[in-house]
């Protein structure tokens, strides 16, 4: 049985993408009567931009749900991989499901493939793959955020460090996955990088 084209792997990828593509930030702000979050701040649908509405609870809930959809995708992929009875599928299905969830978040079909930047979903995927990597990401993010109050810079530094950490820990497959996620996350932050270099990036909690 081919690992990639196995029905179990394909199902993991499809379910992962569908989970990842749920735009919780947009849905929650609309439900709360705050309008379209894409029309304020950075135009992003993630928790940092939701925070710019002034609703901290809604931002926290967005962060939690965006993370959990990544974790759920990995766990579903793991379950499907185990159901296959194939060791190779059991190894790859959770990783591909996590990758698909991340892609679903940054390229959701429901929003014309224009989604968020993927930080929370990245953390959720890491949590499903190896909780230590998720903890390391959060610790680095919090440290850099405390020092600079730049959400984007915190995410970029953490994303650069985590794949290296996983590789050092001997988790080559997880390190490759994290490396791919990090490259896409950095690419999605291209505008933030330009603003950081120009000294124009808004700090955490700033309203625009």
């Amino acid at each position: 049985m081919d690992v990639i084209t196995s029905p179990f792997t394909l199902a993991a990828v499809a379910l992962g993408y569908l989970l990842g593509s749920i735009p919780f930030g947009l849905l929650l702000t609309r439900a709360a009567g705050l309008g379209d979050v894409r029309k304020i701040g950075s135009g992003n649908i993630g928790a940092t931009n939701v925070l710019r509405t002034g609703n901290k609870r809604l931002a926290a809930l967005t962060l939690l749900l965006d993370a959990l959809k990544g974790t759920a995708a990995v766990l579903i992929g793991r379950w499907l991989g185990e159901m296959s009875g194939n060791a190779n599928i059991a190894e790859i299905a959770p990783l591909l499901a996590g990758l698909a969830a991340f892609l679903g978040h940054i390229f959701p079909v429901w929003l014309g493939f224009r989604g968020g930047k993927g930080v929370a979903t990245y953390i959720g995927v890491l949590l499903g793959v190896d909780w230590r990597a998720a903890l390391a990401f959060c610790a680095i993010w919090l440290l850099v955020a405390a020092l600079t109050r730049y959400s984007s810079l915190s995410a970029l530094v953490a994303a650069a460090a985590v794949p290296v950490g996983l590789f050092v820990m001997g988790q080559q497959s997880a390190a490759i996955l994290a490396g791919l996620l990090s490259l896409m996350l950095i690419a999605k932050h291209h505008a933030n990088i330009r603003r950081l270099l120009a000294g124009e990036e808004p700090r955490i909690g700033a309203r625009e």
Side-chain angles (χ1 to χ4, degrees), residues 119-196:
V119 177
T121 305
Y122 188 159
I123 295 170
V125 170
L126 289 177
L127 182 61
V129 172
D130 189 322
W131 65 268
R132 296 170 297 178
L135 183 62
F137 189 107
C138 292
I140 295 169
W141 191 99
L142 288 170
L143 176 61
V144 178
L147 294 173
T148 69
R149 291 185 56 235
Y150 286 123
S151 175
S152 56
L153 181 61
S154 304
L156 292 167
V157 174
V162 164
V164 177
L166 283 167
F167 185 81
V168 170
M169 290 164 57
Q171 303 233 24
Q172 277 76 16
S173 296
I176 292 171
L177 170 65
L180 290 173
L181 299 187
S182 292
L183 288 174
M184 288 186 284
L185 186 146
I186 291 168
K188 287 290 289 184
H189 279 78
H190 62 91
N192 302 85
I193 294 171
R194 287 199 300 268
R195 289 195 296 269
L196 283 166

Side-chain angles (χ1 to χ4, degrees), residues 28-172:
L28 290 172
T29 49
R30 281 184 171 174
L34 298 175
D36 191 335
V37 72
R38 294 172 297 178
K39 295 181 179 179
I40 66 169
S42 64
N44 186 24
I45 61 171
T48 300
N49 206 43
V50 173
L51 183 62
R52 294 190 176 107
T53 66
N55 193 318
K56 294 180 180 179
R57 291 183 179 179
L58 214 57
L61 184 57
T62 300
L63 178 66
L64 178 63
L65 292 175
D66 279 348
L68 287 179
K69 66 187 183 184
T71 305
V74 174
L75 294 179
I76 290 171
R78 183 169 297 145
W79 174 71
L80 287 169
E82 292 171 353
M83 286 280 290
S84 73
N86 183 304
N88 292 326
I89 295 175
E91 178 183 1
I92 200 68
L95 302 179
L96 291 180
L99 175 61
F102 185 83
L103 288 170
H105 180 78
I106 63 176
F107 302 119
V109 63
W110 329 111
L111 302 179
F113 302 102
R114 298 179 64 181
K117 295 176 181 175
V119 177
T121 305
Y122 188 159
I123 295 170
V125 170
L126 289 177
L127 182 61
V129 172
D130 189 322
W131 65 268
R132 296 170 297 178
L135 183 62
F137 189 107
C138 292
I140 295 169
W141 191 99
L142 288 170
L143 176 61
V144 178
L147 294 173
T148 69
R149 291 185 56 235
Y150 286 123
S151 175
S152 56
L153 181 61
S154 304
L156 292 167
V157 174
V162 164
V164 177
L166 283 167
F167 185 81
V168 170
M169 290 164 57
Q171 303 233 24
Q172 277 76 16

